[in-house]
Amino acid sequence: MAVGIAVGDNKKAYPGNLTPFVTVTCIVAAMGGLIFGYDIGISGGVTAMPSFLKKFFPSVYRKQQEDSISNQYCQYDSQTLTMFTSSLYLAALLASLVASTTTRKFGRKLSMLFGGVLFCAGAVINGAAKAVWMLIVGRILLGFGIGFANQSVPLYLSEMAPYKFRGALNIGFQLSITVGILVANVLNYFFAKIHGGWGWRLSLGGAMVPALIITVGSLVLPDTPNSMIERGQHDEAREKLRRIRGVEDVDEEFRDLVAASEASMKIEHPWRNLLQRKYRPHMTMAVMIPFFQQLTGINVIMFYAPVLFNTIGFGSNASLMSAVITGVVNVVATMVSIYGVDKWGRRFLFLEGGFQMLICQAVVAACIGAKFGINGNPGELPKWYAIVVVLFICIYVAGFAWSWGPLGWLVPSEIFPLEIRSAAQSINVSVNMLFTFIVAQIFLTMLCHLKFGLFLFFAFFVVLMSIFVYYFLPETKGIPIEEMGQVWKTHWFWARYVADEDYPIGGGYEMTKGGQGPKNV
């Protein structure tokens, strides 16, 4: 009988290597992030294309033409235009709730497949759009696709990865989001130049490509052992685990997975279960982390980078170009995170990134405030000034891309015990989409009224979230996913919610008090 090597603090270490099989699998699965990233990048760029505005949002277009001289803060303030961007997030929110059941009952793969197919349909409708309602319908289908993908991909990655490399492989998801944003920005830059002004059709229809990648990917990917066990396929699961870990001796990890799964089977209502006292820490994280992630102000910068740079006074081409620059920064900084997350730990990255974003927001607010003042009319902008703003926005994006960006998806997906994992991940995605929606919906109006104070508004939240992480988030690097309960038990604050019998020390499968079934973190 094989035994995992016990590591101090009674953390277990299961044997296993980073096999090529797992690496390839995780890379393909992480492509699920492409559809989300492509979309974020595309919608900001398309809404800055005059031909697109002229066809679908003539009022904004007219306002832009008339106001090209006066108040720069308010030129995009239109509810229908914002509805176009944000209808998607409401749809994603609904889909992620449905996706929880699909992910649990039919496995992670099927959710990914649904995601790809729905997204593909949305892309076709959007590319062919003749009227605003077609745009909105397309966006809603895209949203459904994103809901399914964002629900299943981070879980899939966390379950496939050996725990030593879980951080790095999981951030593959965030990396593909950033690559998606970058590709979208580059394409927008070239499509905007097409004569006849139909380039936006290519931008919107181009979403079919990442959708096909994940659709085909989900057909060839293996299911995760956790998911197979959950559906009673034990022998296949053990074989799969051997193949994934690259070692013969997977008995202990396998037993712990089975134990975890049996505990999770006993639970009829994972949703109601979330409210139990012992899940208080998990619930807090599932709500607070995505909430704060949206209130870093990053989406505002990313969605509207072209609009923002346009406002700061670059021409419309220049603004797409500077959006490409921020896109590159985003990708590179995410790679830094992949390198550092299992080395320096989650907390260090969270706090460092927060500090960096705070400084930049203060500087950007000061720069924009000094030039645009209250009435939003900058006069002539010197070249150096624009460069300073872009530079600080880049440092800000980098700070986000190695802290709150990837960790906002990684930390929630690795702290949930199996019996609530699907449901809790749904809450994580829903909160994320809900606040993305709210921020997207009111951002342009806020820009119009708060002016440069908008950056200070987000800076305030950055201070809050750094304090939150400092006091309440335990370090989770290098802890096997089924052992995570130990973290809460030793934490100064959460220990009072988590009793010893919830997470007994020692083996993973002895019966706990009151026949609660196996210990499962």
Side-chain angles (χ1 to χ4, degrees):
M1 179 180 110
V3 185
I5 310 99
V7 186
D9 294 344
N10 88 90
K11 289 182 191 168
K12 291 187 183 178
Y14 303 119
N17 314 315
L18 184 56
T19 53
F21 177 68
V22 164
T23 316
V24 172
T25 303
C26 285
I27 289 171
V28 175
M31 288 298 173
L34 269 182
I35 63 180
F36 190 31
Y38 184 81
D39 192 84
I40 292 176
I42 281 294
S43 44
V46 166
T47 46
M49 293 184 188
S51 57
F52 176 79
L53 290 175
K54 191 167 164 187
K55 185 170 171 65
F56 294 110
F57 303 101
S59 63
V60 181
Y61 179 72
R62 279 196 303 276
K63 202 150 142 197
Q64 215 182 343
Q65 297 309 312
E66 294 155 13
D67 293 6
S68 52
I69 33 176
S70 62
N71 191 342
Q72 289 282 317
Y73 288 120
C74 290
Q75 63 177 16
Y76 289 99
D77 187 7
S78 143
Q79 288 300 314
T80 10
L81 179 60
T82 334
M83 203 55 220
F84 161 71
T85 313
S86 32
S87 53
L88 173 118
Y89 298 101
L90 279 187
L93 186 147
L94 294 174
S96 69
L97 297 175
V98 180
S100 148
T101 318
T102 317
T103 308
R104 193 182 151 103
K105 292 262 193 306
F106 306 108
R108 324 296 184 223
K109 278 176 53 165
L110 198 71
S111 275
M112 290 192 222
L113 179 66
F114 275 170
V117 172
L118 288 166
F119 197 85
C120 207
V124 173
I125 293 178
N126 265 355
K130 290 267 183 287
V132 174
W133 67 265
M134 285 181 77
L135 282 182
I136 307 267
V137 170
R139 293 291 289 177
I140 289 173
L141 286 172
L142 295 178
F144 284 152
I146 285 173
F148 275 102
N150 284 7
Q151 153 73 19
S152 46
V153 172
L155 287 188
Y156 184 90
L157 293 171
S158 277
E159 291 179 346
M160 274 308 215
Y163 70 92
K164 294 195 209 59
F165 307 103
R166 188 178 60 231
L169 287 174
N170 197 297
I171 291 177
F173 178 66
Q174 180 69 18
L175 183 67
S176 71
I177 292 182
T178 57
V179 170
I181 294 177
L182 177 63
V183 169
N185 285 336
V186 173
L187 291 180
N188 274 338
Y189 181 67
F190 288 111
F191 290 156
K193 288 187 165 13
I194 291 183
H195 289 300
W198 48 272
W200 59 267
R201 288 194 188 279
L202 294 177
S203 293
L204 294 176
M208 283 157 58
V209 179
L212 289 173
I213 293 180
I214 185 180
T215 309
V216 173
S218 69
L219 293 174
V220 297
L221 288 177
D223 238 329
T224 65
N226 313 50
S227 175
M228 291 169 142
I229 293 169
E230 229 175 337
R231 288 170 312 173
Q233 308 166 344
H234 287 208
D235 300 342
E236 296 97 317
R238 184 185 297 248
E239 271 316 298
K240 185 64 72 196
L241 195 59
R242 286 206 177 103
R243 185 147 179 226
I244 292 172
R245 295 290 173 254
V247 288
E248 276 307 299
D249 162 20
V250 293
D251 293 349
E252 192 189 10
E253 183 174 4
F254 181 72
R255 269 201 312 273
D256 282 359
L257 290 177
V258 171
S261 168
E262 280 164 5
S264 93
M265 284 301 171
K266 292 201 173 70
I267 287 161
E268 313 283 284
H269 306 289
W271 296 95
R272 197 172 317 152
N273 211 38
L274 287 174
L275 302 173
Q276 289 180 19
R277 188 175 166 84
K278 64 177 175 181
Y279 299 131
R280 207 62 51 79
H282 309 87
M283 279 306 293
T284 310
M285 295 303 160
V287 173
M288 295 313 278
I289 290 180
F291 165 73
F292 281 142
Q293 188 192 34
Q294 290 316 314
L295 286 168
T296 49
I298 185 71
N299 273 4
V300 170
I301 300 250
M302 281 318 219
F303 266 165
Y304 296 112
V307 175
L308 207 70
F309 290 134
N310 219 336
T311 303
I312 299 173
F314 304 120
S316 61
N317 262 351
S319 62
L320 280 170
M321 203 55 230
S322 30
V324 170
I325 298 167
T326 47
V328 172
V329 171
N330 204 345
V331 172
V332 174
T334 306
M335 290 179 173
V336 172
S337 178
I338 289 184
Y339 169 78
V341 67
D342 291 316
K343 223 187 222 67
W344 310 318
R346 282 55 159 162
R347 279 171 59 93
F348 170 77
L349 285 173
F350 265 135
L351 296 169
E352 193 284 331
F355 179 69
Q356 189 167 325
M357 291 193 293
L358 185 64
I359 304 280
C360 294
Q361 277 164 326
V363 173
V364 171
C367 285
I368 296 186
K371 276 290 177 211
F372 285 79
I374 303 300
N375 61 5
N377 190 359
E380 274 304 295
L381 286 182
K383 190 97 183 243
W384 63 265
Y385 168 79
I387 290 171
V388 169
V389 175
V390 172
L391 182 70
F392 274 97
I393 285 183
C394 285
I395 299 174
Y396 168 82
V397 169
F400 175 82
W402 62 54
S403 67
W404 280 91
L407 299 180
W409 292 107
L410 166 67
V411 173
S413 75
E414 69 182 2
I415 60 175
F416 303 136
L418 183 69
E419 71 267 20
I420 58 166
R421 195 172 295 154
S422 260
Q425 177 67 4
S426 279
I427 288 189
N428 177 37
V429 175
S430 309
V431 173
N432 202 313
M433 292 303 153
L434 178 66
F435 283 98
T436 307
F437 170 74
I438 293 172
V439 169
Q441 196 61 40
I442 60 181
F443 165 70
L444 291 173
T445 314
M446 281 167 76
L447 182 64
C448 195
H449 299 296
L450 283 179
K451 318 282 190 278
F452 59 88
L454 188 59
F455 290 98
L456 299 176
F457 169 81
F458 287 120
F460 165 71
F461 279 101
V462 172
V463 174
L464 280 189
M465 64 188 77
S466 302
I467 296 171
F468 174 79
V469 167
Y470 185 76
Y471 285 111
F472 296 109
L473 185 71
E475 180 54 74
T476 51
K477 77 164 186 218
I479 296 170
I481 202 164
E482 303 300 339
E483 292 290 312
M484 207 52 91
Q486 305 298 337
V487 179
W488 308 113
K489 245 169 32 184
T490 50
H491 188 266
W492 70 272
F493 180 79
W494 297 123
R496 67 191 76 170
Y497 290 103
V498 179
D500 274 353
E501 62 266 22
D502 292 331
Y503 303 114
I505 293 187
Y509 43 84
E510 74 268 22
M511 300 299 277
T512 55
K513 271 212 293 236
Q516 293 239 315
K519 172 198 95 170
N520 160 26
V521 184

